[in-house]
Every structure is written in C-alpha cells, then in structure tokens.
Amino acid sequence: VQLQASGGGLVQAGGFLRLSCAASGRTSSSTIMGWLRQVPGKEREFVACIGWNSGLTYYADSVKGRFTISRDNAMDTVYLQMNSLKPEDTAVYYCAARGGAVGRTTRYDYWGQGTLVTVSS
C-alpha cells in the first residue's frame, strides 16, 4: 500500500485546511485509513480514522466537532477537513492504513509521508 499525503500549509487560527491522502495498492489489510499527527519531541497522536468499506469514523476528543474525515472510494482518496484550526493543531500530519476496526490506536502498518500544518495565532 502506498500513501501520498498533501494539503498542508500555513493558516491563521480559526481558519481551515483540507488534507488529502491518495492510496494505491489497497488490500484487505488496509481497510482502515487514519490521520495522525506529530509535534517534534512528542509522541505521534491519533487524530481520526475511517473504514474504507463501512464509512465508520472515529475522532480524537481534541478534534471532534472541528475535523471531518471522509473518503472517496472511486478515487481511493481520504480527506481530512480541518476547521476552526488552533495553534495547538500545528504538527506534521500523516495518513496511514491498517486492518481491523475503527479506534484510537496509533499502530498502523502503512504510512505516507507527512505534510506540515502550521497554525499561527
């Protein structure tokens, strides 16, 4: 499975961004797509995930109500719409894939390259 993330950038607090993750070579071991983020010096943090087939979603409490994860099965692309961004959302965002069910885990089998999101105050 190959994942290609894009869409990061610099935005002011209160603004929005949409991240995209294009997937290729999906298998039965990559039925869950997730977004995770990491600030230098800190552990990687779960943000949101979605089931390719079920469409079920799961969010971290810190982004619930502000971020929306979605997928376009025809395009093999997953999106993360981020609204009402806060400076504390600043991080490198990674898309990733795994099998199993939606949930909070950060244990993914396939990773894309990160895309930097910077939210200025």
Side-chain angles (χ1 to χ4, degrees):
V1 179
Q2 293 185 328
L3 306 172
Q4 181 74 34
S6 61
L10 173 64
V11 64
Q12 288 188 331
F16 62 90
L17 281 174
R18 188 176 81 157
L19 305 182
S20 300
C21 179
S24 60
R26 287 198 293 124
T27 70
S28 59
S29 66
S30 58
T31 55
I32 303 296
M33 289 293 295
W35 287 98
L36 302 95
R37 65 188 182 187
Q38 189 169 25
V39 175
K42 294 189 176 182
E43 291 188 355
R44 198 164 289 180
E45 175 188 20
F46 168 80
V47 175
C49 68
I50 188 168
W52 273 116
N53 300 322
S54 66
L56 291 174
T57 59
Y58 194 90
Y59 295 93
D61 289 342
S62 59
V63 307
K64 202 173 293 183
R66 299 188 298 123
F67 291 11
T68 302
I69 189 170
S70 61
R71 91 283 195 217
D72 183 332
N73 285 23
M75 297 294 292
D76 278 348
T77 301
V78 173
Y79 303 99
L80 186 68
Q81 179 68 41
M82 306 186 294
N83 298 331
S84 302
L85 282 162
K86 304 175 181 180
E88 51 264 44
D89 293 319
T90 295
V92 176
Y93 283 71
Y94 297 89
C95 65
R98 60 173 175 82
V102 295
R104 184 180 295 277
T105 183
T106 59
R107 299 180 66 179
Y108 281 71
D109 299 312
Y110 308 96
W111 293 85
Q113 90 290 359
T115 185
L116 178 62
V117 172
T118 304
V119 184
S120 63
S121 57

mmCIF file of all heavy atoms in Angstrom, residues 38-43 90-92 116:
data_model
loop_
_atom_site.group_PDB
_atom_site.id
_atom_site.type_symbol
_atom_site.label_atom_id
_atom_site.label_comp_id
_atom_site.label_asym_id
_atom_site.label_seq_id
_atom_site.Cartn_x
_atom_site.Cartn_y
_atom_site.Cartn_z
ATOM 1 N N GLN A 38 2.132 14.622 14.592
ATOM 2 C CA GLN A 38 3.273 14.595 15.497
ATOM 3 C C GLN A 38 3.949 15.941 15.550
ATOM 4 O O GLN A 38 4.235 16.554 14.519
ATOM 5 C CB GLN A 38 4.272 13.516 15.082
ATOM 6 C CG GLN A 38 5.372 13.278 16.092
ATOM 7 C CD GLN A 38 6.182 12.041 15.788
ATOM 8 O OE1 GLN A 38 6.265 11.588 14.642
ATOM 9 N NE2 GLN A 38 6.775 11.458 16.824
ATOM 10 N N VAL A 39 4.185 16.369 16.763
ATOM 11 C CA VAL A 39 4.974 17.575 17.019
ATOM 12 C C VAL A 39 6.373 17.110 17.388
ATOM 13 O O VAL A 39 6.517 16.143 18.147
ATOM 14 C CB VAL A 39 4.350 18.393 18.161
ATOM 15 C CG1 VAL A 39 5.243 19.578 18.504
ATOM 16 C CG2 VAL A 39 2.946 18.853 17.784
ATOM 17 N N PRO A 40 7.412 17.758 16.871
ATOM 18 C CA PRO A 40 8.776 17.345 17.214
ATOM 19 C C PRO A 40 8.975 17.240 18.722
ATOM 20 O O PRO A 40 8.585 18.141 19.476
ATOM 21 C CB PRO A 40 9.638 18.454 16.616
ATOM 22 C CG PRO A 40 8.840 18.960 15.473
ATOM 23 C CD PRO A 40 7.409 18.865 15.906
ATOM 24 N N GLY A 41 9.540 16.114 19.146
ATOM 25 C CA GLY A 41 9.797 15.897 20.557
ATOM 26 C C GLY A 41 8.646 15.278 21.311
ATOM 27 O O GLY A 41 8.782 14.977 22.505
ATOM 28 N N LYS A 42 7.525 15.086 20.613
ATOM 29 C CA LYS A 42 6.361 14.469 21.264
ATOM 30 C C LYS A 42 5.966 13.189 20.525
ATOM 31 O O LYS A 42 6.353 12.961 19.385
ATOM 32 C CB LYS A 42 5.175 15.442 21.274
ATOM 33 C CG LYS A 42 5.398 16.663 22.134
ATOM 34 C CD LYS A 42 4.125 17.468 22.284
ATOM 35 C CE LYS A 42 4.316 18.650 23.220
ATOM 36 N NZ LYS A 42 3.060 19.421 23.406
ATOM 37 N N GLU A 43 5.172 12.386 21.174
ATOM 38 C CA GLU A 43 4.719 11.143 20.568
ATOM 39 C C GLU A 43 3.687 11.430 19.479
ATOM 40 O O GLU A 43 2.979 12.443 19.519
ATOM 41 C CB GLU A 43 4.106 10.232 21.633
ATOM 42 C CG GLU A 43 5.110 9.685 22.616
ATOM 43 C CD GLU A 43 4.501 8.639 23.531
ATOM 44 O OE1 GLU A 43 3.286 8.414 23.451
ATOM 45 O OE2 GLU A 43 5.257 8.052 24.334
ATOM 46 N N THR A 90 -0.945 22.641 15.213
ATOM 47 C CA THR A 90 0.291 22.651 14.447
ATOM 48 C C THR A 90 1.055 21.351 14.644
ATOM 49 O O THR A 90 1.329 20.943 15.772
ATOM 50 C CB THR A 90 1.177 23.832 14.869
ATOM 51 O OG1 THR A 90 0.509 25.053 14.532
ATOM 52 C CG2 THR A 90 2.524 23.788 14.168
ATOM 53 N N ALA A 91 1.370 20.689 13.542
ATOM 54 C CA ALA A 91 2.050 19.393 13.603
ATOM 55 C C ALA A 91 2.318 18.913 12.184
ATOM 56 O O ALA A 91 1.810 19.492 11.215
ATOM 57 C CB ALA A 91 1.204 18.359 14.333
ATOM 58 N N VAL A 92 3.099 17.864 12.089
ATOM 59 C CA VAL A 92 3.195 17.122 10.834
ATOM 60 C C VAL A 92 2.085 16.076 10.855
ATOM 61 O O VAL A 92 1.976 15.297 11.806
ATOM 62 C CB VAL A 92 4.568 16.445 10.682
ATOM 63 C CG1 VAL A 92 4.607 15.599 9.404
ATOM 64 C CG2 VAL A 92 5.672 17.493 10.656
ATOM 65 N N LEU A 116 3.083 19.160 6.585
ATOM 66 C CA LEU A 116 3.157 20.080 7.707
ATOM 67 C C LEU A 116 1.976 21.035 7.716
ATOM 68 O O LEU A 116 1.680 21.687 6.719
ATOM 69 C CB LEU A 116 4.465 20.869 7.651
ATOM 70 C CG LEU A 116 4.680 21.924 8.738
ATOM 71 C CD1 LEU A 116 4.716 21.284 10.121
ATOM 72 C CD2 LEU A 116 5.959 22.707 8.460
#
